[in-house]
CSV table of all heavy atoms in Angstrom, one decimal:
chain,number,residue,atom,x,y,z
A,12,VAL,N,10.9,-4.4,-1.3
A,12,VAL,CA,9.6,-4.9,-1.0
A,12,VAL,C,8.5,-4.5,-2.0
A,12,VAL,O,7.4,-4.9,-1.9
A,12,VAL,CB,9.2,-4.4,0.5
A,12,VAL,CG1,10.0,-5.1,1.5
A,12,VAL,CG2,9.3,-2.9,0.6
A,15,SER,N,6.3,-5.8,-7.0
A,15,SER,CA,6.1,-7.3,-7.2
A,15,SER,C,5.7,-7.6,-8.6
A,15,SER,O,4.6,-7.1,-9.0
A,15,SER,CB,5.2,-7.9,-6.2
A,15,SER,OG,5.8,-8.0,-5.0
A,60,THR,N,-2.2,-11.5,-6.7
A,60,THR,CA,-2.3,-12.1,-5.4
A,60,THR,C,-3.2,-11.3,-4.5
A,60,THR,O,-4.1,-11.8,-3.8
A,60,THR,CB,-0.9,-12.3,-4.7
A,60,THR,OG1,-0.3,-11.0,-4.6
A,60,THR,CG2,0.0,-13.2,-5.4
A,61,HIS,N,-3.1,-10.0,-4.6
A,61,HIS,CA,-3.9,-9.1,-3.7
A,61,HIS,C,-3.9,-7.7,-4.3
A,61,HIS,O,-3.1,-7.3,-5.1
A,61,HIS,CB,-3.7,-9.2,-2.3
A,61,HIS,CG,-2.3,-8.7,-1.9
A,61,HIS,ND1,-1.1,-9.3,-2.2
A,61,HIS,CD2,-1.9,-7.6,-1.2
A,61,HIS,CE1,-0.1,-8.7,-1.7
A,61,HIS,NE2,-0.5,-7.6,-1.1
A,62,ALA,N,-4.7,-6.8,-3.6
A,62,ALA,CA,-5.0,-5.4,-4.1
A,62,ALA,C,-3.9,-4.4,-3.8
A,62,ALA,O,-3.9,-3.4,-4.4
A,62,ALA,CB,-6.4,-5.0,-3.7
A,63,HIS,N,-3.1,-4.6,-2.9
A,63,HIS,CA,-2.1,-3.6,-2.5
A,63,HIS,C,-1.3,-3.1,-3.8
A,63,HIS,O,-1.0,-3.9,-4.7
A,63,HIS,CB,-1.0,-4.2,-1.6
A,63,HIS,CG,-1.4,-4.1,-0.1
A,63,HIS,ND1,-1.0,-5.0,0.9
A,63,HIS,CD2,-2.3,-3.3,0.5
A,63,HIS,CE1,-1.6,-4.6,2.0
A,63,HIS,NE2,-2.4,-3.6,1.8
A,64,ILE,N,-1.2,-1.8,-3.8
A,64,ILE,CA,-0.5,-1.1,-5.0
A,64,ILE,C,0.8,-1.8,-5.4
A,64,ILE,O,1.2,-1.8,-6.5
A,64,ILE,CB,-0.5,0.4,-4.7
A,64,ILE,CG1,-1.9,0.9,-4.8
A,64,ILE,CG2,0.4,1.2,-5.8
A,64,ILE,CD1,-2.7,0.7,-6.1
A,65,ASP,N,1.6,-2.2,-4.4
A,65,ASP,CA,2.9,-2.8,-4.7
A,65,ASP,C,2.8,-4.1,-5.5
A,65,ASP,O,3.8,-4.7,-5.8
A,65,ASP,CB,3.8,-2.9,-3.5
A,65,ASP,CG,3.3,-3.8,-2.5
A,65,ASP,OD1,2.2,-3.6,-2.0
A,65,ASP,OD2,4.1,-4.7,-2.0
A,66,HIS,N,1.5,-4.6,-5.6
A,66,HIS,CA,1.3,-5.8,-6.4
A,66,HIS,C,0.4,-5.6,-7.6
A,66,HIS,O,0.4,-6.3,-8.5
A,66,HIS,CB,0.6,-6.8,-5.4
A,66,HIS,CG,1.5,-7.3,-4.4
A,66,HIS,ND1,2.3,-8.5,-4.3
A,66,HIS,CD2,1.9,-6.6,-3.2
A,66,HIS,CE1,3.0,-8.6,-3.3
A,66,HIS,NE2,2.8,-7.4,-2.6
A,162,HIS,N,-3.4,-12.1,4.6
A,162,HIS,CA,-2.8,-10.9,4.6
A,162,HIS,C,-3.7,-9.7,4.6
A,162,HIS,O,-3.6,-8.9,5.5
A,162,HIS,CB,-1.8,-10.9,3.4
A,162,HIS,CG,-1.1,-9.6,3.1
A,162,HIS,ND1,-0.3,-9.0,4.0
A,162,HIS,CD2,-1.1,-8.8,2.0
A,162,HIS,CE1,0.1,-7.8,3.4
A,162,HIS,NE2,-0.4,-7.7,2.2
A,163,ILE,N,-4.5,-9.6,3.6
A,163,ILE,CA,-5.6,-8.5,3.6
A,163,ILE,C,-6.8,-9.2,3.0
A,163,ILE,O,-6.8,-10.3,2.5
A,163,ILE,CB,-5.2,-7.3,2.8
A,163,ILE,CG1,-5.1,-7.6,1.3
A,163,ILE,CG2,-4.0,-6.6,3.3
A,163,ILE,CD1,-5.1,-6.3,0.4
A,166,SER,N,-6.9,-11.5,-0.2
A,166,SER,CA,-5.5,-11.8,-0.5
A,166,SER,C,-5.4,-13.4,-0.7
A,166,SER,O,-6.0,-14.1,-0.1
A,166,SER,CB,-4.5,-11.4,0.5
A,166,SER,OG,-4.7,-12.1,1.8
A,186,GLY,N,2.7,-15.0,-2.2
A,186,GLY,CA,2.1,-13.6,-2.2
A,186,GLY,C,2.5,-13.0,-0.8
A,186,GLY,O,3.4,-13.6,-0.2
A,187,ASP,N,1.8,-12.0,-0.4
A,187,ASP,CA,2.2,-11.5,1.0
A,187,ASP,C,1.5,-12.4,1.9
A,187,ASP,O,0.3,-12.6,1.8
A,187,ASP,CB,1.7,-10.0,1.1
A,187,ASP,CG,2.6,-9.0,0.3
A,187,ASP,OD1,3.5,-9.5,-0.4
A,187,ASP,OD2,2.3,-7.8,0.4
A,188,LEU,N,2.3,-12.9,2.9
A,188,LEU,CA,1.8,-14.0,3.8
A,188,LEU,C,1.5,-13.3,5.1
A,188,LEU,O,2.3,-12.7,5.7
A,188,LEU,CB,2.8,-15.0,3.9
A,188,LEU,CG,2.4,-16.4,4.5
A,188,LEU,CD1,1.4,-17.1,3.6
A,188,LEU,CD2,3.7,-17.2,4.8
A,211,GLU,N,7.7,-14.6,0.2
A,211,GLU,CA,8.0,-13.3,0.7
A,211,GLU,C,8.9,-13.3,1.9
A,211,GLU,O,9.0,-14.2,2.6
A,211,GLU,CB,6.7,-12.5,0.8
A,211,GLU,CG,5.9,-12.9,2.2
A,211,GLU,CD,5.7,-11.8,3.1
A,211,GLU,OE1,6.7,-11.0,3.3
A,211,GLU,OE2,4.6,-11.5,3.6
A,213,THR,N,9.3,-10.0,3.8
A,213,THR,CA,9.2,-8.6,4.4
A,213,THR,C,9.8,-8.5,5.8
A,213,THR,O,10.7,-7.7,6.1
A,213,THR,CB,7.7,-8.1,4.5
A,213,THR,OG1,7.1,-8.5,3.3
A,213,THR,CG2,7.7,-6.6,4.7
A,250,VAL,N,-6.2,-0.2,3.8
A,250,VAL,CA,-6.8,-1.5,3.7
A,250,VAL,C,-6.1,-2.4,4.8
A,250,VAL,O,-4.9,-2.5,4.8
A,250,VAL,CB,-6.6,-2.1,2.3
A,250,VAL,CG1,-7.2,-3.5,2.2
A,250,VAL,CG2,-7.2,-1.2,1.3
A,406,ALA,N,0.6,-7.1,9.0
A,406,ALA,CA,-0.2,-8.0,8.1
A,406,ALA,C,0.8,-9.0,7.5
A,406,ALA,O,0.3,-9.8,6.6
A,406,ALA,CB,-0.9,-7.2,7.1
A,407,HIS,N,2.0,-9.1,7.9
A,407,HIS,CA,2.9,-10.0,7.4
A,407,HIS,C,3.4,-11.0,8.5
A,407,HIS,O,3.6,-10.6,9.6
A,407,HIS,CB,4.2,-9.3,6.8
A,407,HIS,CG,3.9,-8.5,5.6
A,407,HIS,ND1,4.0,-9.0,4.3
A,407,HIS,CD2,3.5,-7.2,5.5
A,407,HIS,CE1,3.7,-8.0,3.5
A,407,HIS,NE2,3.4,-6.9,4.2
A,431,HIS,N,10.4,-10.1,-2.1
A,431,HIS,CA,9.6,-9.2,-1.4
A,431,HIS,C,10.2,-8.9,0.0
A,431,HIS,O,9.6,-9.1,1.0
A,431,HIS,CB,8.1,-9.8,-1.2
A,431,HIS,CG,7.1,-8.7,-0.8
A,431,HIS,ND1,7.1,-8.0,0.4
A,431,HIS,CD2,6.1,-8.2,-1.5
A,431,HIS,CE1,6.1,-7.2,0.5
A,431,HIS,NE2,5.4,-7.2,-0.7
B,601,ZN,ZN1,0.4,-6.6,0.6
Side-chain angles (χ1 to χ4, degrees):
V12 289
S15 280
T60 60
H61 65 290
H63 275 155
I64 289 299
D65 63 307
H66 296 257
H162 169 60
I163 65 167
S166 67
D187 287 5
L188 194 66
E211 75 118 314
T213 317
V250 179
H407 293 269
H431 200 289

